[in-house]
Amino acid sequence: MPHDPNCLFCKISQGTIPSQKVYEDEEIYAFNDINPAAPIHFLMIPKKHIPMLESAEAADAPLLGRMMELASRLAKEQGCRPGKEGGFRVVVNNGADGGQEVYHLHLHVMGGPRPWKK
C-alpha cells in the first residue's frame, strides 16, 4: 500500500506517531482528533496515501464506500445516539479553500450532545 514517508497521517497509520486508535483494519485507520470540535470527534483515513478527495480515482471507490459505511458503525460505537434524535456529522475538507490542513484524505466524524465548539 503506497505511503508518503513525509505524511503525518501515513506515520500515524503505521504506528510511528502515537494516536488514540478507534479502529484499524488492512485498509482503514481511525483515531481520536487531538483538537476535538465535538464531544465525539475522530478521524478516519485510508492507509493508502490519497492526498485529497479530489485525488481519488475510480479504483478507490470501494475503499471510500467502506469508509462511509464504517463511519456510521464507529460513530455509534463511540457513543453517538442513533436515529433522528441523535446522529453525527461526516466532513471531508478538500484543498486550502475547503479547509484541508493535512494532505492525506480523511473523514472527520463528529457527534454528541450539542452545542459544539464553533
Side-chain angles (χ1 to χ4, degrees):
M1 199 163 295
H3 293 96
D4 177 342
N6 300 311
C7 173
L8 173 68
F9 286 175
C10 284
K11 292 176 183 178
I12 288 173
S13 74
Q14 293 176 313
T16 57
I17 292 178
S19 67
Q20 292 181 334
K21 181 168 59 171
V22 168
Y23 176 85
E24 182 176 17
D25 67 23
E26 310 78 40
E27 296 182 301
I28 300 167
Y29 189 83
F31 56 100
N32 287 319
D33 194 296
I34 61 169
N35 187 22
I40 297 163
H41 186 172
F42 60 91
L43 305 178
M44 297 178 63
I45 61 173
K47 289 185 176 180
K48 174 185 177 183
H49 183 79
I50 303 171
M52 49 203 288
L53 184 58
E54 185 177 303
S55 308
E57 300 174 350
D60 298 316
L63 171 61
L64 300 178
R66 280 195 62 234
M67 290 177 71
M68 293 301 287
E69 183 279 328
L70 184 59
S72 179
R73 187 161 31 112
L74 292 179
K76 291 175 199 160
E77 288 176 9
Q78 293 301 303
C80 292
R81 296 181 305 140
K84 290 188 217 179
E85 298 78 27
F88 56 93
R89 177 182 292 173
V90 177
V91 176
V92 178
N93 300 326
N94 188 83
D97 287 345
Q100 188 172 6
E101 295 177 359
V102 177
Y103 284 86
H104 183 122
L105 175 64
H106 55 285
L107 307 181
H108 290 265
V109 182
M110 297 172 279
R114 291 179 97 30
W116 302 345
K117 287 193 288 187
K118 300 231 181 214

